[in-house]
Amino acid sequence: SRTVTLEPPVKSDEAVSRASFFGMRLSERFLEDLLDFVMWSLPLILLAFTACGLAIAMLTCDVLQKIDVTDKVVAIVEKEVKPMIKMLTGEDPTAITMMMIKLKVKNMINTTMPGAKASLYAIGMAKLFVLEIGPLLTALLLCGRIGGSYAGKVGTMQATKQNELLTTLGVNAQAWTLVPALGAAVLAGPILTVMGTVLSLVLGGVVGPAYGIGKWDDYVESVREAVFPGLRLRSVVAWNENGGGTFLDFFSGLDLRYVGSDKYTDAFVEFVTYPPFFLLTKAVTFIVMVLMVAELAARLRPDLTPRKLPSVITSSVVISSLVVILMDWGFSQLW
């Protein structure tokens, strides 16, 4: 007979030194979530905004190219000018006179319309993406990318009793996952929103001149004025009217009330609806709601099993998308 003895393998010091404890600290979990949210979401955001930006820019250019008001304006001028000339001179205008008037009007329209179309195109692209499409499209995409991922992570921990283990060890299971993820999401949401919005506006500046709508330099200037208008607060308006000055001069007579009202609530609305702040406010609010919905969808099911995990992810994505759309409507009432 032969006796077989099984012994566990002896771990060398080198193998033990290679053991990773990354993720034990809050800062490490935050960094891991931030890299996950930004790096894996960035390709999705850039491709979506590329498609959306090109589609809207080309459609807008096509519509503007087909707009021709020359005949309608000439018809109105002919209808209104003829009686006026007769009233002033006592005679009907001759055919040559009317022809010269029509040529002058057409020349004025042909000179004015290209610039008007270019300005309308640039302002429309800036307002559309900064105030509406940029934050909304990013949030809807992140409902699946971040919200679904977080719901799946928490749901897996719930189904495999990891949350109960953390509680047994004296660790707050909700804070263990929610705090770093929420901090990372608050940074990732605005970053991705700004990157997608800037990409769409740049593509708009490329598409417009290609369709004969304005020039790149004029487009950039119009977009800048639309995105960064002057704040209508008393100190800001007075500072601009005086030709600027030092920051000490600005803060010495600081008055943050709205120019048309003495209520600070109106000043708050003016500040919040300032395009860059409006974009960042919507981006942060949307991503916080996405993460909170995902947290509730997974955490409020203590008896969750692995078989029910897909339904948790689905409910998180659908409900958070609906919440984002409703909140976007609420933000639109401010503007």
Side-chain angles (χ1 to χ4, degrees), residues 139 167 180 197 199 242-243 281:
T167 303
T197 301
L199 175 61
N242 295 330
T281 302

Side-chain angles (χ1 to χ4, degrees), residues 112-123:
T112 306
M113 282 302 294
K117 289 182 179 180
S119 297
L120 180 62
Y121 171 73
I123 294 173

Side-chain angles (χ1 to χ4, degrees), residues 61 121 204-216 219:
C61 288
Y121 171 73
V206 174
V207 172
Y211 274 75
I213 306 294
K215 298 179 181 179
W216 169 262
Y219 174 84

Side-chain angles (χ1 to χ4, degrees), residues 259-277:
V259 291
S261 173
D262 291 331
K263 297 179 180 179
Y264 283 98
T265 54
D266 295 331
F268 175 75
V269 173
E270 170 68 15
F271 185 81
V272 171
T273 55
Y274 188 67
F277 300 146

Side-chain angles (χ1 to χ4, degrees), residues 142-157:
L142 296 184
C143 285
R145 167 69 270 276
I146 292 180
S149 173
Y150 182 79
K153 177 181 178 179
V154 175
T156 300
M157 294 178 66

Side-chain angles (χ1 to χ4, degrees), residues 208-253:
Y211 274 75
I213 306 294
K215 298 179 181 179
W216 169 262
D217 294 337
D218 297 333
Y219 174 84
V220 172
E221 182 64 21
S222 297
V223 168
R224 186 189 66 80
E225 292 177 356
V227 176
F228 300 100
L231 270 172
R232 293 171 295 181
L233 302 179
R234 296 183 182 184
S235 291
V236 177
V237 172
W239 196 59
N240 291 331
E241 290 177 350
N242 295 330
T246 63
F247 284 104
L248 183 61
D249 297 333
F250 176 78
F251 286 105
S252 61

Side-chain angles (χ1 to χ4, degrees), residues 7-180:
E7 296 181 356
V10 178
K11 294 184 179 180
S12 64
D13 293 339
E14 181 181 359
V16 173
S17 64
R18 289 200 303 265
S20 174
F21 294 97
F22 184 84
M24 295 296 293
R25 298 178 180 176
L26 175 62
S27 59
E28 294 172 348
R29 299 197 303 277
F30 165 78
L31 180 60
E32 183 180 15
D33 287 339
L34 181 61
L35 292 176
D36 173 50
F37 293 166
V38 174
M39 300 307 296
W40 286 107
S41 303
L42 186 59
L44 176 66
I45 296 296
L46 294 181
L47 287 176
F49 273 90
T50 298
C52 186
L54 289 175
I56 292 178
M58 290 188 291
L59 179 62
T60 305
C61 288
D62 187 57
V63 171
L64 289 174
Q65 281 184 330
K66 293 180 179 179
I67 295 178
D68 187 6
V69 298
T70 304
D71 293 337
K72 294 182 179 180
V73 173
V74 169
I76 294 174
V77 168
E78 184 177 8
K79 180 181 178 181
E80 298 295 332
V81 169
K82 258 187 176 183
M84 188 177 298
I85 294 177
K86 184 176 181 180
M87 181 181 64
L88 294 175
T89 63
E91 300 178 355
D92 290 329
T94 63
I96 296 178
T97 302
M98 292 306 302
M99 182 182 69
M100 293 178 64
I101 293 175
K102 291 179 181 179
L103 288 176
K104 185 62 177 178
V105 171
K106 287 182 179 180
N107 183 57
M108 293 171 60
I109 293 174
N110 293 333
T111 303
T112 306
M113 282 302 294
K117 289 182 179 180
S119 297
L120 180 62
Y121 171 73
I123 294 173
M125 289 290 293
K127 296 290 187 181
L128 189 62
F129 277 95
V130 172
L131 300 179
E132 186 61 34
I133 292 184
L136 179 60
L137 179 59
T138 303
L140 290 176
L141 291 172
L142 296 184
C143 285
R145 167 69 270 276
I146 292 180
S149 173
Y150 182 79
K153 177 181 178 179
V154 175
T156 300
M157 294 178 66
Q158 195 84 331
T160 55
K161 307 303 179 182
Q162 295 181 50
N163 290 330
E164 293 183 7
L165 176 59
L166 288 173
T167 303
T168 302
L169 295 175
V171 178
N172 188 316
Q174 187 173 19
W176 179 269
T177 54
L178 181 60
V179 172

